[in-house]
Amino acid sequence: MRFTKNRLRATASAAVAVAMGAAALTALPTTASAAGDGLSVQYRTSATGATADQSEPWFKVKNTGTTTVQLANVKIRYYFKADSASATYRFACSWAVKGCANVTSAFGTLANPTATADRYLEIGFTSGAGSLAPGADTGDMQLRFYRSTWQTLNQSDDYSFGASQTSYGNWSKVTAQLAGTTLWGTAPAGNDPTNPPTDPPTDPPAGGATLFDDFNYSSHSDPKISANGWSVRSNSGGPGVSGATWAPENVTFATTSGNSIMNLETSTAGTGASTEQTEILTQARKFKNGTYAARVRFNDAPKYGPDGDHLVQTFFTINDLTAPLADDYAEYDFEYLPNGGWGETSNILYTTSWETYQADPWVAVNQHTESRQSYAGWHDLVLTIDNSSIKYYIDGRLFGTHDSAYLPERPMSINFNQWLIDFGGLTSSTARAYDQQVDYVLHVKDQVLTPAQVAAKVTAYRSAGTTFQDTVPSS
């Protein structure tokens, strides 16, 4: 069950990645670059040995063009060879002129592995990093990454590593992109970090059993909620802080500009007994392969009261664990932690594909993708599952691709919840509350839709005045 796993996961600083494979990230959608655009990357390393406890690639990104560059549109990639097929890695920023809080990271897997590269570290920036005027650079970014087990790593066979590069200089073995267009560097052969140049068709395929809900309800007690196959949780148990309850009355609905929005409120005064969490889930487990989509608003700040609790805001699909390490378990998560948690010190978004787990002793078999930046605001979340892979999209961009080993064997439910891992070190007894909003949810059975096709399908439902439809057969 999810509550058992996440309660245990919260007890270990890195448990969410105990047994994961590096996830595939793609660059932002390719767009034409303006004629005046240009970037270069300078690199140095402070860990020069062939082997090291951690790799320390330091960078400066320079605007060599004639127009101002927004750093939020810039991605750079450092390519390396994994120390083993199952090796997992962690990133850290030691110092950055732009501020470590404004530097994002993600590890990915190359589509075409070479003798010197099968993984990459992708560095990006939040909007807080600002812009670069022509001729300006980011200043020093002292970055590092290491094996999650802290075993020694081998740098000598890493494509982007330069043992003699002990002072900053231009380095073409690192690539830099601006809004999806590569402007600097050469990737390992066959791995140019760009998306296909043509956009897929936006018309969704005809037919296909579908669940669509616009969450057009009056309150948590509206009889249509149950009639439409949903359950607003009130039973006790995890996840969450010990003693917390699940409060169905805190799932509310409001109309904005003619559109109904569901709100999940989680509140606390710093004790388990004062903590009220929220969850809504489908009564039936009947969803498996196909497309899952939702428009969700994450919030970094509380609606009132002091900030700092370790909060989890989610959209996920799941079935039950029938036995420890049972291989027919499945779970696929979007989990946003606005204040960090599970060993993270600031906001982070996880997408995680679960094969199985064991509660005692704790063993996790999963693959995840992570991004350390703020995701406050509305986001279009899309998950697709076919017979070969699991893919996660955020706002139309491919965020992570997970392997066939994590495909589901049994149908699942669809869930949204918001809960507290812990109080994040806050000792305040002042009441505070956090909101997560949901606009709609969509599932199309056995069809893989692009994000554009999802948007077209939702628009078609709304244009027709359809607020709910469920033609997905019982499993």
Side-chain angles (χ1 to χ4, degrees), residues 241-245 250 265-277 302 304-307 309 420 422-434:
V241 296
S242 178
T245 58
N250 292 341
E265 178 188 289
T266 292
S267 61
T268 188
T271 65
S274 68
T275 301
E276 295 183 345
Q277 304 177 143
Y304 61 81
D307 194 8
D309 298 292
L420 296 182
D422 54 49
F423 304 117
L426 282 180
T427 57
S428 174
S429 60
T430 301
R432 58 265 192 187
Y434 302 85

Side-chain angles (χ1 to χ4, degrees), residues 24-340:
L25 271 284
T26 65
L28 291 167
T30 303
T31 56
S33 177
D37 289 338
L39 294 172
S40 66
V41 180
Q42 291 188 324
Y43 159 81
R44 61 158 292 189
T45 181
S46 62
T48 59
T51 60
D53 290 335
Q54 55 189 344
S55 182
E56 298 186 49
W58 295 9
F59 300 114
K60 291 181 183 179
V61 181
K62 184 176 182 179
N63 180 0
T64 59
T66 59
T67 58
T68 297
V69 168
Q70 298 298 319
L71 279 170
N73 295 327
V74 173
K75 300 285 186 184
I76 62 177
R77 286 187 181 180
Y78 179 96
Y79 302 89
F80 65 98
K81 182 78 170 178
D83 295 276
S84 71
S86 61
T88 60
Y89 296 87
R90 292 284 187 181
F91 168 83
C93 173
S94 299
W95 162 255
V97 172
K98 290 291 184 180
C100 282
N102 292 316
V103 177
T104 68
S105 69
F107 290 100
T109 303
L110 290 179
N112 299 294
T114 70
T116 59
D118 56 13
R119 309 275 183 93
Y120 59 83
L121 167 64
E122 183 173 86
I123 300 299
F125 302 89
T126 70
S127 59
S131 61
L132 292 180
D137 65 49
T138 59
D140 205 16
M141 292 189 293
Q142 300 179 14
L143 313 179
R144 55 193 174 90
F145 67 92
Y146 52 92
R147 296 185 66 175
S148 57
T149 58
W150 279 106
Q151 292 175 273
T152 299
L153 52 78
N154 179 22
Q155 300 190 102
S156 63
D157 59 355
D158 290 349
Y159 176 87
S160 295
F161 174 66
S164 62
Q165 200 73 10
T166 56
S167 59
Y168 277 115
N170 286 347
W171 196 246
S172 62
K173 289 189 174 184
V174 173
T175 57
Q177 289 182 282
L178 178 62
T181 299
T182 303
L183 298 180
W184 175 264
T186 303
N191 293 284
D192 189 40
T194 56
N195 286 333
T198 56
D199 293 327
T202 58
D203 291 338
T210 301
L211 166 69
F212 172 74
D213 201 333
D214 212 15
F215 294 112
N216 190 15
Y217 303 109
S218 60
S219 71
H220 76 280
S221 58
D222 189 330
K224 291 191 299 181
I225 293 178
S226 178
N228 289 346
W230 294 98
S231 176
V232 182
R233 183 174 176 182
S234 60
N235 60 295
S236 62
V241 296
S242 178
T245 58
W246 297 87
E249 66 274 14
N250 292 341
V251 177
T252 58
F253 302 86
T255 300
T256 303
S257 301
N259 185 42
S260 180
I261 301 296
M262 178 172 65
N263 188 79
L264 282 69
E265 178 188 289
T266 292
S267 61
T268 188
T271 65
S274 68
T275 301
E276 295 183 345
Q277 304 177 143
T278 43
E279 180 168 17
I280 185 169
L281 64 155
T282 59
Q283 298 167 13
R285 295 190 190 119
K286 61 177 184 177
F287 309 98
K288 195 180 175 191
N289 286 15
T291 300
Y292 300 79
R295 183 164 171 79
V296 177
R297 184 178 182 181
F298 298 126
N299 288 289
D300 283 351
K303 64 191 301 183
Y304 61 81
D307 194 8
D309 298 292
H310 286 155
L311 182 73
V312 186
Q313 300 174 337
T314 76
F315 166 45
F316 63 100
T317 180
I318 190 173
N319 60 29
D320 60 321
L321 184 72
T322 57
L325 296 178
D327 61 7
D328 61 351
Y329 177 74
E331 179 181 352
Y332 307 95
D333 302 328
F334 289 91
E335 292 177 308
Y336 181 54
L337 284 60
N339 292 321

